[in-house]
Amino acid sequence: MPLKRNKQFISGSQAIAQTIKELQVDVISAYPITPQTHILEELAQFKEDHQADYEYIRAESEFAAASIILGASAAGGRTYSATSSQGVLLMMEVLFNASGLRLPLVMTVANRALSAPINIFNDHSDAMAMRDSGWLMFFAENHQEAIDLHIIAYKIAESLELPVAINVDGFIITHAYQEAFIPNRKIIESYLPKYKPIPNSYLDSNRPVSLGGYYDSVHYQKTRQELSKDIQKSQKKVSQEFKAWQKIWPTKKALKSTYDDGLIEYCGPKKPKAILIALGSLCGTIKEAIKSETNVGIIKIRSFRPFPKDSLNKIIPINCQLYILEKTIAIGSFGPLYQEVISSLNHFKGKATNYILGLGGQDINEADILNIIKANRS
Amino acid sequence: MISAKKMPITKRPLTKAGSAQENKTGSWRKEHPVVDKNKCISCSLCAKLCPDNCIYMRETKKGHLIAEPNLDYCKGCGICAEECPVKAIRMVKD
């Protein structure tokens, strides 16, 4: 039966807010920061207009907002928050606690550069600051993917008891308008039922438990290692859930993908001479740039945590030129994506080059991408 | 309180509730508060400010509320003595 779908021409923030409205969230708390503010404004408006029945709790800082949703989740609720840049840094203590307590928080990170010097535009520095916090991290390429990833995120978070952050590029996704399809509550409910926490695993005054007590070194190391292992193992679940949702809500792609398992998407020839690897909205630009290139492919890393080690080994040929493009500067070191890719490849004998570009919202256009490919070819 | 056997299958770091009752921490302190019952005006400021939440306002036979520190948990920080508006609490060496 063909799906009846309403196409909307919508900004990324509106798309995310409307998706959250349909998700039957219990508690929302967040603190406004550019470029995430529009998401909050929309959600507050829905509440004001009696279109939504979630609790909308205003917080005095990002630290408070994160603490409020951590508490709400510990009490057995489905929660949502959104932040950006300095807000992620202020939340950091709570982020580590959320993953350690295995609470299924879901948060949008509208990626923005970090201070100093102060800058409000897009790069991935804030996301990479939280990469070791034990959160699963997905990167959306466009509006539709942002919508899909938010729905999938709740399913994964609640079944694996792990928090999930969905990264959307600030301004490029949050403020720009694109066409998108937002599923209604009924369709979402068929995939993601209302949240029911595991009995006796949450804070309830009728059945009291303590959450997050003191662990000595033996138990602490075991617990932290288990968390790390669970995140590595979650690759399979992420892939499964992505495919399951794609069946319910199929999306049209600008460039047909050769391989897509949810964790990564590969577009290009079967035996490429060169592959570009990138995160987020940059992949859209690359896809457009390499349309006429016959032996260049692109890998979009959709899931940065769990890092798709197996998928990359499957797709990347042994002798191939890799260009790893990223919008993060790891001060005094290589880019985080480069480090991850290189340490993940088992038998790779080709050449890999790291490009740090687009910091603080610096525009990356198709000519820049073609220049990278051409410079290495000659 | 749920027994260890009835603990749910979850990855969360859960412990049984109320374990602080078995783990008394009052021995950490060097000083303890002593309340002068005749001076206490039942304002309960000490109970609200105690960081260990260990001061109870107990009702006397006459119907007055009197501050009563629980020395099983009091760490002797002295905030209650410092903040008492009528100086009814003084700190005494253990």
Side-chain angles (χ1 to χ4, degrees):
Chain A
M1 199 178 74
L3 271 170
K4 250 193 186 175
R5 308 210 289 187
N6 289 329
K7 194 200 287 189
Q8 295 189 62
F9 188 62
I10 198 170
S11 80
S13 298
Q14 285 170 330
I16 292 166
Q18 287 191 21
T19 312
I20 296 303
K21 191 185 83 178
E22 302 298 335
L23 274 165
Q24 307 195 51
V25 175
D26 298 309
V27 179
I28 293 175
S29 184
Y31 188 81
I33 181 169
T34 304
Q36 149 269 36
T37 314
H38 288 176
I39 303 175
L40 295 196
E41 284 176 354
E42 290 283 324
L43 289 169
Q45 193 66 50
F46 292 144
K47 178 75 183 167
E48 177 68 21
D49 297 344
H50 302 288
Q51 290 182 37
D53 53 1
Y54 43 71
E55 286 295 323
Y56 186 94
I57 304 173
R58 281 179 289 178
E60 76 272 22
S61 71
E62 283 88 356
F63 183 85
S67 302
I68 289 165
I69 60 160
L70 180 135
S73 183
R78 181 179 281 171
T79 63
Y80 175 75
S81 187
T83 192
S84 187
S85 180
Q86 306 301 119
V88 177
L89 299 192
L90 191 56
M91 277 185 180
M92 203 55 82
E93 184 187 327
V94 189
L95 299 184
F96 276 73
N97 271 318
S99 61
L101 295 175
R102 303 296 294 252
L103 298 171
L105 306 186
V106 173
M107 185 168 78
T108 308
V109 181
N111 298 128
R112 163 185 150 181
L114 295 179
S115 294
I118 193 164
N119 181 295
I120 59 162
F121 294 104
N122 166 244
D123 72 32
H124 290 154
S125 304
D126 52 357
M128 292 308 158
M130 65 177 285
R131 71 180 169 145
D132 298 331
S133 63
W135 282 55
L136 301 188
M137 289 166 66
F138 303 150
F139 284 82
E141 181 194 331
N142 50 38
H143 293 24
Q144 189 60 51
E145 200 166 86
I147 294 165
D148 294 340
L149 285 177
H150 276 83
I151 298 161
I152 297 164
Y154 277 98
K155 182 94 180 215
I156 293 169
E158 284 159 15
S159 56
L160 297 179
E161 296 184 288
L162 284 168
V164 184
I166 299 106
N167 294 279
V168 292
D169 284 327
F171 295 103
I172 301 171
I173 290 182
T174 57
H175 286 52
Y177 279 68
Q178 236 176 42
E179 59 172 51
F181 301 92
I182 300 168
N184 62 27
R185 186 171 278 208
K186 211 175 150 193
I187 294 170
I188 293 178
E189 218 174 331
S190 70
Y191 170 77
L192 178 76
K194 204 164 167 41
Y195 178 48
K196 278 194 197 107
I198 302 164
N200 296 333
S201 76
Y202 60 97
L203 304 183
D204 179 358
S205 53
N206 294 323
R207 289 171 296 180
V209 285
S210 289
L211 191 55
Y214 180 83
Y215 275 30
D216 62 13
S217 55
V218 180
H219 295 105
Y220 178 82
Q221 171 141 356
K222 210 180 142 201
T223 315
R224 297 301 279 183
Q225 281 178 333
E226 199 176 274
L227 174 63
S228 180
K229 235 181 242 171
D230 281 354
I231 289 178
Q232 283 166 23
K233 275 196 296 190
S234 65
Q235 287 181 53
K236 207 176 150 191
K237 181 79 184 167
V238 174
S239 180
Q240 266 175 10
E241 291 301 341
F242 187 84
K243 284 175 188 164
W245 176 249
Q246 282 295 307
K247 267 182 200 160
I248 298 170
W249 202 249
T251 44
K252 221 178 95 188
K253 285 167 184 167
L255 191 63
K256 208 174 169 250
S257 53
T258 322
Y259 176 87
D260 190 347
D261 64 357
L263 299 155
I264 67 165
E265 183 192 354
Y266 172 68
C267 300
K270 281 201 172 146
K271 283 179 183 167
K273 280 189 180 160
I275 296 179
L276 294 112
I277 303 178
L279 294 165
S281 66
L282 178 55
C283 298
T285 315
I286 299 175
K287 281 177 188 171
E288 206 56 41
I290 63 162
K291 259 182 181 168
S292 52
E293 299 284 329
T294 47
N295 48 19
V296 181
I298 169 186
I299 292 178
K300 170 173 77 184
I301 310 263
R302 199 180 276 125
S303 158
F304 187 76
R305 282 283 179 280
F307 198 76
K309 197 179 167 186
D310 304 335
S311 312
L312 287 179
N313 274 304
K314 204 155 130 191
I315 291 299
I316 298 173
I318 293 175
N319 283 307
C320 154
Q321 168 81 44
L322 287 184
Y323 308 121
I324 296 144
L325 277 54
E326 49 190 320
K327 292 185 186 176
T328 320
I329 187 155
I331 312 287
S333 183
F334 300 103
L337 183 61
Y338 176 81
Q339 294 180 29
E340 296 275 349
V341 171
I342 294 306
S343 54
S344 296
L345 296 175
N346 295 334
H347 309 289
F348 183 66
K349 288 195 183 101
K351 199 181 152 202
T353 329
N354 191 197
Y355 289 91
I356 309 285
L357 26 79
L359 295 182
Q362 177 112 323
D363 193 33
I364 310 162
N365 53 35
E366 291 158 37
D368 297 331
I369 308 290
L370 290 173
N371 282 342
I372 290 174
I373 300 168
K374 274 175 197 156
N376 285 278
R377 195 178 279 158
S378 54
Chain B
M1 206 184 291
I2 48 169
S3 67
K5 273 184 190 171
K6 281 185 185 167
M7 276 293 183
I9 303 163
T10 172
K11 300 264 184 177
R12 290 187 189 166
L14 288 176
T15 39
K16 66 173 186 177
S19 54
Q21 283 173 356
E22 294 156 27
N23 187 20
K24 298 203 164 89
T25 46
S27 63
W28 301 3
R29 69 169 174 264
K30 287 182 175 168
E31 293 180 326
H32 66 272
V34 174
V35 182
D36 186 338
K37 285 177 188 169
N38 297 325
K39 278 189 185 170
C40 179
I41 54 164
S42 317
C43 70
S44 28
L45 193 62
C46 54
K48 283 172 188 145
L49 293 173
C50 174
D52 226 298
N53 209 10
C54 74
I55 299 181
Y56 298 93
M57 299 304 294
R58 195 174 297 286
E59 203 173 343
T60 59
K61 281 176 190 168
K62 285 179 184 172
H64 300 304
L65 288 173
I66 299 289
E68 193 181 285
N70 184 343
L71 297 183
D72 282 345
Y73 300 100
C74 171
K75 309 287 186 299
C77 70
I79 287 177
C80 51
E82 183 70 32
E83 295 293 336
C84 179
V86 291
K87 299 289 161 213
I89 305 176
R90 65 195 170 88
M91 299 304 289
V92 176
K93 283 221 163 73
D94 261 34

